[in-house]
Amino acid sequence: MRIESELTERGDVLTFVDDAGRIQHATYSLGNGLFFNKNGRTMFNPWKLIHEDELFESWGSYGCHTYRKQQ
């Protein structure tokens, strides 16, 4: 379920959308400001843990939507 919150929790999925509403990137929150992330679709782009500062530096020009599993 999409939520309206600037604070993320463990298990949240953040999507970054362009002006047309198309998802350009998605990442998974591990909590404490860390995200499981992969920039790019090729095998040469590694999965890695990044801090939210790095995430928003790369993707902050897009709109951000947060999704959370209903309890």
Side-chain angles (χ1 to χ4, degrees):
M1 163 173 27
R2 184 171 165 193
I3 62 164
E4 298 296 326
S5 176
E6 292 189 20
L7 300 174
T8 59
E9 295 179 2
R10 182 179 185 167
D12 286 353
V13 174
L14 273 63
T15 61
F16 294 86
V17 297
D18 63 17
D19 292 335
R22 295 178 298 241
I23 296 174
Q24 298 298 312
H25 186 69
T27 190
Y28 183 81
S29 174
L30 299 172
N32 295 325
L34 293 175
F35 292 84
F36 189 57
N37 191 68
K38 182 178 191 283
N39 287 334
R41 292 186 252 175
T42 70
M43 66 181 191
F44 303 108
N45 299 98
W47 288 96
K48 60 183 182 175
L49 298 180
I50 63 170
H51 192 269
E52 66 185 334
D53 294 340
E54 183 179 346
L55 177 68
F56 281 96
E57 183 178 318
S58 297
W59 296 100
S61 63
Y62 292 95
C64 182
H65 298 162
T66 302
Y67 294 87
R68 185 171 295 154
K69 183 178 179 180
Q70 286 184 306
Q71 301 295 324

